Amino acid sequence: MSRINGFVGRRNFLKLAGVGSIGIGATAAGSVLWKQEEAVAQKPATSVQKPQAVNPDAALKSLVEGNQRFIDGKRLNPNQSKFRLQETSVAQYPFAAVLGCADSRVPAEIVFDQGFGDLFVTRLAGNVASPETIGSLEYATAVLGVQLIIVLGHASCGAVLAAVEGKPLPGRISSFVEEIKPAVEKAKTKTGNLENNSIIANVQYQAARLAEGSTILGQLIKEGKLKIVGGFYDLAVGKVTLVA
C-alpha cells in the first residue's frame, strides 16, 4: 500500500471517495491525475526525501510565524531557490493548504512567507468552498498528506460586499455570491459593522462546509489527521488573525 506523508495513496483515496464525497475521485480524469502524481512521488531521486507529516499544530505555528515575519518586514523568503525549484519538480509535500479569496492583494505564499511546495493553495472569489475546491482539498489531504487547512478571508472582500448588498449581478458572478449569502444572514444577527461581521461569518461558514460537505475531510478530522481553521487578513497591516 503506497503512502505519501504517512497517508494512504490514490487507491484507498478512491475507496473513500466512493462513500458519498463531492470530491474529484469520481472522475476518470482525476484517477489519471492521481496515478501520475503517485508515480512521480515514488520516482527515485537523490535531491529530495519524503519528509515526515507535519501535524496541524506545527503547521499552524509555521504559518503564524511566517505571517509575523511578513508583518515585521523580516521575510526569510524560504524555499525559493533554484535548487528548491528542481527539488519540487520531483514531488510535492506541502505542509498546509489554504482556501483563499482570488483577490490579487492576498497571495498566500507571500502573506505567510513560504516558498515552492510549502502550501497547497486554492483560490476562489469569496473563499467559497465550491465542489471543485472541496475536491482539490480532498486531494491535498488524503493524497498529499496535508494536515491543516486554513480558510482565509480578508478585509474589504468584494464578493462578500456584493452578498451584503444583494443586488442583481451580471454573468456568472452571482454563482459564488449566492454561496456567501447564508453567512450574511447569520452576520445580521450580530451587532457591529455588517460587512466585517459578514466576512468573519463567511470564513466560519465555508470552513464548516468543508468539514460537513466532504466525507473524506470529515473522516480525517475524526481520525485527528486534519484540522480546519479560519483566518482574517487585514489588507492595510498584513496581519492574519485566527478566527474561531
Side-chain angles (χ1 to χ4, degrees), residues 2-30:
S2 62
R3 289 177 177 268
I4 300 176
N5 259 10
F7 282 73
V8 297
R10 176 188 56 83
R11 183 176 295 108
N12 283 347
F13 175 76
L14 292 177
K15 289 180 181 179
L16 283 173
V19 296
S21 168
I22 306 176
I24 52 179
T27 67

Side-chain angles (χ1 to χ4, degrees), residues 17-99:
V19 296
S21 168
I22 306 176
I24 52 179
T27 67
S31 179
V32 172
L33 173 64
W34 295 323
K35 284 183 180 179
Q36 293 173 342
E37 181 72 24
E38 202 170 58
V40 170
Q42 294 177 3
K43 186 177 180 180
T46 58
S47 60
V48 63
Q49 292 183 343
K50 183 169 59 178
Q52 294 293 319
V54 179
N55 69 60
D57 293 334
L60 184 58
K61 183 173 183 289
S62 293
L63 293 183
V64 170
E65 291 176 346
N67 180 240
Q68 190 60 53
R69 294 194 300 269
F70 172 69
I71 296 168
D72 295 339
K74 298 180 180 180
R75 291 173 58 200
L76 299 177
N77 300 312
N79 294 329
Q80 296 179 26
S81 66
K82 186 173 182 179
F83 174 79
R84 177 64 170 181
L85 183 67
Q86 296 171 340
E87 185 180 49
T88 53
S89 72
V90 177
Q92 62 167 321
Y93 300 108
F95 72 85
V98 181
L99 168 52

Side-chain angles (χ1 to χ4, degrees), residues 60 63-64 67 70-71 96-114 119-129 133 137 148-160 180 198-208 210 227-235 238-243:
L60 184 58
L63 293 183
V64 170
N67 180 240
F70 172 69
I71 296 168
V98 181
L99 168 52
C101 181
D103 193 294
S104 63
R105 300 166 292 180
V106 197
E109 286 85 357
I110 295 177
V111 167
F112 290 115
D113 191 24
Q114 303 299 325
L119 303 180
F120 188 98
V121 181
T122 62
R123 296 177 69 176
L124 184 65
N127 39 276
V128 169
T133 299
L137 294 173
L148 175 75
I149 298 173
I150 179 168
V151 179
L152 186 61
H154 66 91
S156 303
C157 181
V160 175
I180 301 173
S198 295
I199 292 170
I200 299 294
N202 185 51
V203 167
Q204 297 167 329
Y205 176 67
Q206 304 302 337
L210 290 178
K227 179 181 289 187
I228 300 175
V229 300
F232 174 83
Y233 178 69
D234 186 319
L235 293 175
K239 181 177 179 58
V240 174
T241 301
L242 296 180
V243 175

